[in-house]
PDB file of all heavy atoms in Angstrom:
ATOM      1  N   VAL V 155     -12.473  24.518  20.369  1.00 98.00           N
ATOM      2  CA  VAL V 155     -13.140  23.641  21.333  1.00 98.00           C
ATOM      3  C   VAL V 155     -13.694  24.451  22.502  1.00 98.00           C
ATOM      4  O   VAL V 155     -14.772  24.135  23.016  1.00 98.00           O
ATOM      5  CB  VAL V 155     -12.198  22.514  21.800  1.00 98.00           C
ATOM      6  CG1 VAL V 155     -12.795  21.724  22.953  1.00 98.00           C
ATOM      7  CG2 VAL V 155     -11.882  21.573  20.636  1.00 98.00           C
ATOM      8  N   SER V 156     -13.003  25.509  22.912  1.00 97.00           N
ATOM      9  CA  SER V 156     -13.526  26.333  24.011  1.00 97.00           C
ATOM     10  C   SER V 156     -14.833  27.022  23.616  1.00 97.00           C
ATOM     11  O   SER V 156     -15.701  27.228  24.453  1.00 97.00           O
ATOM     12  CB  SER V 156     -12.494  27.358  24.476  1.00 97.00           C
ATOM     13  OG  SER V 156     -12.386  28.433  23.581  1.00 97.00           O
ATOM     14  N   ILE V 157     -14.987  27.337  22.344  1.00 96.00           N
ATOM     15  CA  ILE V 157     -16.219  27.985  21.863  1.00 96.00           C
ATOM     16  C   ILE V 157     -17.318  26.961  21.591  1.00 96.00           C
ATOM     17  O   ILE V 157     -18.478  27.177  21.936  1.00 96.00           O
ATOM     18  CB  ILE V 157     -15.947  28.796  20.566  1.00 96.00           C
ATOM     19  CG1 ILE V 157     -15.011  29.959  20.840  1.00 96.00           C
ATOM     20  CG2 ILE V 157     -17.255  29.297  19.957  1.00 96.00           C
ATOM     21  CD1 ILE V 157     -14.538  30.673  19.573  1.00 96.00           C
ATOM     22  N   ASN V 158     -16.964  25.837  20.951  1.00 97.00           N
ATOM     23  CA  ASN V 158     -17.969  24.915  20.420  1.00 97.00           C
ATOM     24  C   ASN V 158     -18.065  23.566  21.120  1.00 97.00           C
ATOM     25  O   ASN V 158     -18.986  22.810  20.841  1.00 97.00           O
ATOM     26  CB  ASN V 158     -17.688  24.667  18.935  1.00 97.00           C
ATOM     27  CG  ASN V 158     -17.827  25.925  18.131  1.00 97.00           C
ATOM     28  OD1 ASN V 158     -18.912  26.462  17.992  1.00 97.00           O
ATOM     29  ND2 ASN V 158     -16.724  26.438  17.629  1.00 97.00           N
ATOM     30  N   GLY V 159     -17.109  23.250  21.964  1.00 96.00           N
ATOM     31  CA  GLY V 159     -17.121  21.942  22.614  1.00 96.00           C
ATOM     32  C   GLY V 159     -16.870  20.833  21.608  1.00 96.00           C
ATOM     33  O   GLY V 159     -16.464  21.077  20.469  1.00 96.00           O
ATOM     34  N   LEU V 160     -17.129  19.619  22.018  1.00 94.00           N
ATOM     35  CA  LEU V 160     -16.896  18.469  21.143  1.00 94.00           C
ATOM     36  C   LEU V 160     -17.827  18.452  19.934  1.00 94.00           C
ATOM     37  O   LEU V 160     -17.494  17.853  18.916  1.00 94.00           O
ATOM     38  CB  LEU V 160     -17.025  17.167  21.929  1.00 94.00           C
ATOM     39  CG  LEU V 160     -15.919  16.919  22.958  1.00 94.00           C
ATOM     40  CD1 LEU V 160     -16.173  15.621  23.711  1.00 94.00           C
ATOM     41  CD2 LEU V 160     -14.550  16.895  22.293  1.00 94.00           C
ATOM     42  N   ALA V 161     -18.967  19.107  20.037  1.00 94.00           N
ATOM     43  CA  ALA V 161     -19.895  19.162  18.900  1.00 94.00           C
ATOM     44  C   ALA V 161     -19.265  19.851  17.693  1.00 94.00           C
ATOM     45  O   ALA V 161     -19.680  19.630  16.556  1.00 94.00           O
ATOM     46  CB  ALA V 161     -21.182  19.885  19.292  1.00 94.00           C
ATOM     47  N   GLY V 162     -18.235  20.657  17.933  1.00 95.00           N
ATOM     48  CA  GLY V 162     -17.583  21.364  16.842  1.00 95.00           C
ATOM     49  C   GLY V 162     -16.418  20.622  16.213  1.00 95.00           C
ATOM     50  O   GLY V 162     -15.834  21.095  15.248  1.00 95.00           O
ATOM     51  N   VAL V 163     -16.084  19.463  16.763  1.00 96.00           N
ATOM     52  CA  VAL V 163     -14.900  18.744  16.281  1.00 96.00           C
ATOM     53  C   VAL V 163     -15.284  17.764  15.175  1.00 96.00           C
ATOM     54  O   VAL V 163     -16.128  16.897  15.364  1.00 96.00           O
ATOM     55  CB  VAL V 163     -14.187  18.003  17.438  1.00 96.00           C
ATOM     56  CG1 VAL V 163     -12.989  17.221  16.915  1.00 96.00           C
ATOM     57  CG2 VAL V 163     -13.746  18.991  18.502  1.00 96.00           C
ATOM     58  N   THR V 164     -14.659  17.945  14.024  1.00 95.00           N
ATOM     59  CA  THR V 164     -14.815  17.032  12.895  1.00 95.00           C
ATOM     60  C   THR V 164     -13.513  16.243  12.754  1.00 95.00           C
ATOM     61  O   THR V 164     -12.536  16.517  13.456  1.00 95.00           O
ATOM     62  CB  THR V 164     -15.059  17.815  11.590  1.00 95.00           C
ATOM     63  OG1 THR V 164     -13.889  18.601  11.316  1.00 95.00           O
ATOM     64  CG2 THR V 164     -16.284  18.697  11.680  1.00 95.00           C
ATOM     65  N   ASN V 165     -13.483  15.304  11.828  1.00 94.00           N
ATOM     66  CA  ASN V 165     -12.247  14.559  11.595  1.00 94.00           C
ATOM     67  C   ASN V 165     -11.089  15.487  11.235  1.00 94.00           C
ATOM     68  O   ASN V 165      -9.982  15.339  11.747  1.00 94.00           O
ATOM     69  CB  ASN V 165     -12.432  13.520  10.484  1.00 94.00           C
ATOM     70  CG  ASN V 165     -13.254  12.350  10.938  1.00 94.00           C
ATOM     71  OD1 ASN V 165     -13.434  12.125  12.129  1.00 94.00           O
ATOM     72  ND2 ASN V 165     -13.768  11.586   9.986  1.00 94.00           N
ATOM     73  N   TYR V 166     -11.336  16.443  10.346  1.00 95.00           N
ATOM     74  CA  TYR V 166     -10.264  17.345   9.935  1.00 95.00           C
ATOM     75  C   TYR V 166      -9.816  18.257  11.079  1.00 95.00           C
ATOM     76  O   TYR V 166      -8.640  18.533  11.240  1.00 95.00           O
ATOM     77  CB  TYR V 166     -10.675  18.185   8.724  1.00 95.00           C
ATOM     78  CG  TYR V 166     -10.604  17.422   7.421  1.00 95.00           C
ATOM     79  CD1 TYR V 166     -11.738  17.118   6.698  1.00 95.00           C
ATOM     80  CD2 TYR V 166      -9.373  17.016   6.913  1.00 95.00           C
ATOM     81  CE1 TYR V 166     -11.658  16.423   5.497  1.00 95.00           C
ATOM     82  CE2 TYR V 166      -9.278  16.338   5.715  1.00 95.00           C
ATOM     83  CZ  TYR V 166     -10.420  16.034   5.012  1.00 95.00           C
ATOM     84  OH  TYR V 166     -10.333  15.350   3.826  1.00 95.00           O
ATOM     85  N   ILE V 167     -10.749  18.740  11.879  1.00 97.00           N
ATOM     86  CA  ILE V 167     -10.381  19.586  13.012  1.00 97.00           C
ATOM     87  C   ILE V 167      -9.584  18.766  14.026  1.00 97.00           C
ATOM     88  O   ILE V 167      -8.587  19.239  14.572  1.00 97.00           O
ATOM     89  CB  ILE V 167     -11.628  20.247  13.630  1.00 97.00           C
ATOM     90  CG1 ILE V 167     -12.185  21.281  12.631  1.00 97.00           C
ATOM     91  CG2 ILE V 167     -11.306  20.894  14.977  1.00 97.00           C
ATOM     92  CD1 ILE V 167     -13.524  21.873  12.995  1.00 97.00           C
TER      93      ILE V 167
END
Side-chain angles (χ1 to χ4, degrees):
V155 171
S156 76
I157 295 171
N158 296 293
L160 291 178
V163 178
T164 64
N165 287 343
Y166 282 113
I167 291 171

